[in-house]
Amino acid sequence: MVRTTKQRAAIAEALRRAARPLLPSEILSEAQQSVPNLNLATIYRNLNLLIEERLVASVHLPGQPARFEIAGHHHHHFHCRQCDKVFDIHACSSAISQLAPKGFAVDDHEVILYGRCPSCGPARQTRAARPRQARR
Amino acid sequence: MVRTTKQRAAIAEALRRAARPLLPSEILSEAQQSVPNLNLATIYRNLNLLIEERLVASVHLPGQPARFEIAGHHHHHFHCRQCDKVFDIHACSSAISQLAPKGFAVDDHEVILYGRCPSCGPARQTRAARPRQARR
DNA sequence: ATATGTGCAAAGCATTTGCGGAGAT
DNA sequence: ATCTCCGCAAATGCTTTGCACATAT
């Protein structure tokens, strides 16, 4: 039986407060304000629990560690190449599932948009070399 | 200056022969047939080189290690939940980039479809618990 | 000849797990 | 009292890196 612990509450609270998907390390520093000696392993364990309960969803971006957010309705993500933040896109074209050739049964899909977010503004063409995605 | 080595040739050859994105380990066993004591580190180093030259593209699927394929025209991927293989989808709706709210400048996008591939057939509803994506 | 590439082993990161003790029911 | 959960440290899996030697130019 699943118990209520202050750790789990703090983790869910951190996610609820955030307007965007968070890294485990971000959840850690956020939640540590209410549970000081909270551990990363506990974060991961609870994230997996919350995901199984479908309360939380994981957001995977190419070449990046997983982020996590409160599960809501179906939506997609926008990844800003400049500031590296991830934003929710609350729009979805149902035509997407029809891209598969016949014979393929599609039950879900995922869309990631890349570009620059409003606060990073339009791309400047006068840049020596665009800062490519950081290696880990 | 970039040199031509039999290792690099074997790696590119393995990718060229494959009709789908390959795991580094798959490239290894494939390429080891022409270069027996080929090393995984060499695979990774060359993949990164080939990616910089835009000859190879990496394919990242949520919760899975990266796969690699010969870079071609813009396309997307289908991930079979049953056999875990990844297939190329040579179709794309240009409407996708329009999903972003205004203020967001989209320069690229990625689409992943999930479901069952032709050889795995349609989902059976009489299954105790669907075999969820294997943990690593 | 010299710079680049390779193999091997070790290091790095993100994530998971074993274990003994703490806390929720 | 019992069973779940936590913190810590160690383990794991993928990927990168340091180093000494090999090889393409």
Side-chain angles (χ1 to χ4, degrees), chain B residues 22-29 40 43-44 47 65-68:
Chain B
L22 297 181
L23 295 166
S25 55
E26 294 175 314
I27 300 173
L28 180 64
S29 42
L40 245 194
I43 307 259
Y44 280 105
L47 285 175
R67 291 170 167 83
F68 301 85

Side-chain angles (χ1 to χ4, degrees), chain A residues 111-122:
Chain A
V111 175
I112 308 168
L113 302 178
Y114 296 93
R116 296 173 68 102
C117 73
S119 42
C120 287

Side-chain angles (χ1 to χ4, degrees), chain B residues 57-124:
Chain B
S58 59
V59 179
H60 292 262
L61 297 177
Q64 303 235 359
R67 291 170 167 83
F68 301 85
E69 65 184 354
I70 295 293
H73 59 325
H74 176 82
H75 68 277
H76 299 304
H77 295 99
F78 179 98
H79 179 204
C80 179
R81 295 195 199 271
Q82 181 67 18
C83 67
D84 234 37
K85 287 213 188 86
V86 177
F87 301 85
D88 287 354
I89 299 290
H90 296 285
C92 173
S93 159
S94 57
I96 289 169
S97 336
Q98 292 156 27
L99 293 176
K102 65 165 171 279
F104 289 86
V106 178
D107 64 39
D108 197 8
H109 67 257
E110 200 156 293
V111 175
I112 307 168
L113 302 178
Y114 296 94
R116 297 172 67 100
C117 72
S119 42
C120 288
R124 312 231 327 273

